[in-house]
Amino acid sequence: KAGVTQTPRYLIKTRGQQVTLSCSPISGHRSVSWYQQTPGQGLQFLFEYFSETQRNKGNFPGRFSGRQFSNSRSEMNVSTLELGDSALYLCASSPGTSGRAYEQFFGPGTRLTVL
Amino acid sequence: QKEVEQNSGPLSVPEGAIASLNCTYSDRGSQSFFWYRQYSGKSPELIMFIYSNGDKEDGRFTAQLNKASQYVSLLIRDSQPSDSATYLCAVEPGYSSASKIIFGSGTRLSIRP
């Protein structure tokens, strides 16, 4: 079974620009969660999508948004980039339903650098 | 108080010894507990999960959960240099929360030959 894929793997942007990151979950998984990881803050939850609906949201500003498509692929968008947005963005896939719903499998991440 | 707390380390353990990693959580109603391993420059990898009080063993790994004391631990027996990584504890809170899974900041483990 193929794992979680994320594209692109690396990205360099300048302040004020916007960026879109993509995540393809494990086949059959319906939940996709996004996290931001920085050395200072650790792993911070951004949001979770399940069946094309945002099911949970963390404490990030509205510049961070996402969506999920009918095939469970998800995109995350960050508008008006700030230097502090430089981080590793991780996507995690899980079945999302009862039982082992919260066992998450992470993709390799997208390393975003904002100059 | 942080919702999920871990000692940041580094925890240095000699090869072949038992490494003991601890995690405490604040929400008494938490239901599910996870341990992830993250190598430097890589993404987290799920290695253990536990839902019930007591011990759960998987190979060299044992997860221990004590809900009354609100802690979960991970024991690694016969530690190998390849076990050197950061170990993240994650908890599913029992209350309705915007954050479905809350991660601790991780403990850096170093196995010395």
Side-chain angles (χ1 to χ4, degrees), chain A residues 2-6 23-26 29 91-94 105-108:
Chain A
V4 182
T5 59
Q6 289 187 249
C23 171
S24 292
I26 292 170
H29 284 190
C91 144
S93 159
S94 74
F105 299 87
F106 284 84

Side-chain angles (χ1 to χ4, degrees), chain A residues 25-46:
Chain A
I26 292 170
S27 177
H29 284 190
R30 295 164 63 188
S31 169
V32 173
S33 296
W34 288 90
Y35 294 86
Q36 181 194 69
Q37 188 173 39
T38 59
Q41 296 297 317
L43 205 58
Q44 301 287 312
F45 173 77
L46 282 153

Side-chain angles (χ1 to χ4, degrees), chain B residues 4-58:
Chain B
V4 179
E5 292 207 55
Q6 297 181 256
N7 188 318
S8 62
L11 175 65
S12 181
V13 172
E15 185 175 354
I18 295 175
S20 178
L21 305 163
N22 298 313
C23 170
T24 59
Y25 59 93
S26 60
D27 176 29
R28 190 169 285 279
S30 296
Q31 299 293 319
S32 311
F33 307 84
F34 308 88
W35 283 100
Y36 287 83
R37 177 178 61 200
Q38 186 173 24
Y39 292 114
S40 180
K42 302 293 186 182
S43 57
E45 172 194 9
L46 179 65
I47 55 172
M48 288 287 286
F49 56 88
I50 186 167
Y51 302 125
S52 305
N53 264 336
D55 295 0
K56 178 182 178 183
E57 188 175 316
D58 184 0

Side-chain angles (χ1 to χ4, degrees), chain B:
Chain B
Q1 182 192 6
K2 288 185 180 177
E3 293 178 273
V4 179
E5 292 207 55
Q6 297 181 256
N7 188 318
S8 62
L11 175 65
S12 181
V13 172
E15 185 175 354
I18 295 175
S20 178
L21 305 163
N22 298 313
C23 170
T24 59
Y25 59 93
S26 60
D27 176 29
R28 190 169 285 279
S30 296
Q31 299 293 319
S32 311
F33 307 84
F34 308 88
W35 283 100
Y36 287 83
R37 177 178 61 200
Q38 186 173 24
Y39 292 114
S40 180
K42 302 293 186 182
S43 57
E45 172 194 9
L46 179 65
I47 55 172
M48 288 287 286
F49 56 88
I50 186 167
Y51 302 125
S52 305
N53 264 336
D55 295 0
K56 178 182 178 183
E57 188 175 316
D58 184 0
R60 295 186 298 112
F61 298 98
T62 299
Q64 299 176 316
L65 174 60
N66 184 323
K67 288 189 175 182
S69 299
Q70 294 175 240
Y71 82 78
V72 56
S73 61
L74 179 70
L75 302 179
I76 306 175
R77 289 182 301 281
D78 187 24
S79 296
Q80 303 296 309
S82 60
D83 295 325
S84 297
T86 296
Y87 289 80
L88 301 168
C89 170
V91 175
E92 182 220 340
Y95 57 86
S96 176
S97 166
S99 181
K100 205 68 166 180
I101 301 289
I102 300 174
F103 283 82
S105 56
T107 297
R108 194 153 51 95
L109 174 66
S110 176
I111 307 299
R112 56 181 190 271

